[in-house]
Amino acid sequence: MTQITLRRPDDWHLHLRDGAMMRAVLPETTRHFGRAIVMPNLVPPVVTGADAAAYRDRILAAKPRGSKFRPLMTLYLTEETQVRDLRAAAEIGLIAAVKLYPAGATTNSASGVRDFSKVRRVLDNMAQIGLPLLVHGEVTDPEIDIFDREAAFIDRVLDPIRRETPGLRVVMEHVTTSEAVGYVRDGGPDLAATITAHHLVINRNHILAGGIRPHYYCLPVAKRESHRRALVGAATGGDASFFLGTDSAPHTDAAKLQACGCAGCFTAPNAIATVAEVFDAEGALDRLEAFMSLNGPAFYRMAPNEDTITLTRGDPAPWPREIATGDGPVTVFDPGMPLHWRVA
């Protein structure tokens, strides 16, 4: 197969940042994606409906002329989140989900939840109105090894929340382990998961073997090869519980290349090509559209995009090595293999 046409994909987990950075990276997403769930972990975070409306307006003002891209806004769950504000934002379609960051789990997560009993009423209301909870699935207990934090989160946090809040619709963001894949597969219709392009192609050796490679460092951190293979199986296997969320997370090189560098892989320019390469290698191109364009809208109770994109296969396609921003250059994720697929 040298050509495939798909419904236009959506990105169900995206970091756009703000200001000069957002204006520079946004076109890399709007070029290929119809919609995107936009993460709220700005500084300060997007915690109210008014915050979400203002951030949405800044994104819309910055998108390229003629683009039909639609940002899907989220609220950052805190122990002070007000049910009335959240419900009002959901009822008018301002927000599509609420994001749970355990405090200290990742970039700009200091305002996250520490005491889950303080958000019980919020979660109950979300279950009532069907508003999805998006979870960064890692515990932050320093005694838990960083490679075990996702599995520990399922046992300690996520499973108790779901048992105590029947009907709560949950997306496990950027899953990285076979344990998470198994939990989602057995979790029923109210549980789904996003998988990133970079976690489909790198394991922890890519970060650490032969020297530290900061541009492969992300959170949750990439795991063993056996876990990567489990992710590939989940993505390409046809299970509607899994769909693409790139977690494209731009940081300037100055922020990445230092003694305590930031976590995140900037994949927006080549995420679709990378995923297509993985599906091609697995003989699963017939399932690519479901993973990138259909499963996500179905879980979010939205119609798939009506327009299409066409991917063609040929000689290895180049991608930009970096994106210039007003804050400094941002290095584009290197999948470590030739990408023969490109968006026509």
Side-chain angles (χ1 to χ4, degrees):
M1 185 179 293
T2 59
Q3 181 172 301
I4 183 169
T5 297
L6 316 171
R7 294 280 193 121
R8 184 173 296 277
D10 299 302
D11 186 345
W12 298 100
H13 184 124
L14 176 67
H15 296 270
L16 287 176
R17 313 304 187 203
D18 211 347
M21 176 68 79
M22 184 261 286
R23 291 190 293 272
V25 303
L26 178 60
E28 302 302 323
T29 290
T30 62
R31 184 175 297 121
H32 298 151
F33 292 96
R35 297 168 291 202
I37 287 281
V38 180
M39 291 296 103
N41 58 332
L42 305 181
V43 181
V46 178
V47 296
T48 68
D51 294 338
Y55 188 27
R56 177 203 57 195
D57 291 347
R58 295 196 297 275
I59 295 170
L60 293 175
K63 73 176 184 178
R65 180 173 296 180
S67 170
K68 296 180 180 179
F69 172 78
R70 180 185 170 199
L72 302 174
M73 309 310 295
T74 61
L75 294 186
Y76 187 123
L77 182 63
T78 74
E79 294 171 9
E80 289 74 42
T81 295
Q82 298 297 308
V83 169
R84 180 180 297 179
D85 181 68
L86 179 148
R87 291 189 72 125
E91 286 169 2
I92 63 173
L94 174 60
I95 61 171
V98 173
K99 183 60 184 276
L100 166 62
Y101 290 104
T106 189
T107 302
N108 300 339
S109 62
S111 301
V113 176
R114 298 182 187 276
D115 183 351
F116 286 90
S117 68
K118 294 182 178 179
V119 297
R120 173 64 48 213
R121 184 164 173 263
V122 172
L123 298 181
D124 287 342
N125 274 267
M126 290 175 60
Q128 291 173 15
I129 63 176
L131 187 66
L133 177 70
L134 316 182
V135 298
H136 181 109
E138 293 186 291
V139 298
T140 56
D141 185 342
E143 295 184 0
I144 303 297
D145 188 283
I146 191 170
F147 293 104
D148 298 329
R149 290 180 177 180
E150 184 171 276
F153 179 86
I154 294 172
D155 293 337
R156 292 186 177 189
V157 180
L158 181 56
D159 200 55
I161 284 177
R162 295 184 65 232
R163 291 179 185 276
E164 294 168 11
T165 318
L168 181 65
R169 306 178 68 240
V170 177
V171 179
M172 285 194 72
E173 306 265 44
H174 44 49
V175 291
T176 61
T177 61
S178 57
E179 290 89 347
V181 167
Y183 185 72
V184 172
R185 279 179 169 153
D186 296 337
D190 291 331
L191 182 63
T194 58
I195 300 177
T196 75
H198 53 282
H199 284 122
L200 287 174
V201 296
I202 66 170
N203 60 37
R204 63 189 189 181
N205 281 351
H206 291 86
I207 307 171
L208 299 170
I212 296 175
R213 295 174 177 83
H215 292 298
Y216 287 152
Y217 172 59
C218 56
L219 288 173
V221 68
K223 308 298 194 298
R224 292 179 180 271
E225 175 64 7
S226 59
H227 293 293
R228 187 190 72 83
R229 288 302 310 168
L231 298 179
V232 171
T236 62
D239 189 326
S241 300
F242 300 95
F243 39 87
L244 177 64
T246 69
D247 193 20
S248 182
H251 293 284
T252 64
D253 288 353
K256 291 285 287 182
L257 306 177
Q258 57 174 303
C260 187
C262 294
C265 298
F266 178 53
T267 60
N270 57 12
I272 288 179
T274 299
V275 173
E277 201 74 29
V278 171
F279 274 67
D280 193 1
E282 296 295 311
L285 285 174
D286 58 321
R287 296 172 176 170
L288 181 63
E289 183 178 49
F291 178 71
M292 291 208 296
S293 310
L294 302 179
N295 295 348
F299 184 83
Y300 277 86
R301 299 172 178 171
M302 300 178 184
N305 294 310
E306 294 184 358
D307 61 329
T308 62
I309 64 169
T310 297
L311 283 69
T312 59
R313 192 183 196 284
D315 293 334
W319 65 87
R321 298 299 176 177
E322 65 180 34
I323 300 296
T325 81
D327 298 325
V330 175
T331 292
V332 176
F333 175 74
D334 180 355
M337 61 183 179
L339 297 181
H340 297 87
W341 288 93
R342 71 184 76 191
V343 180

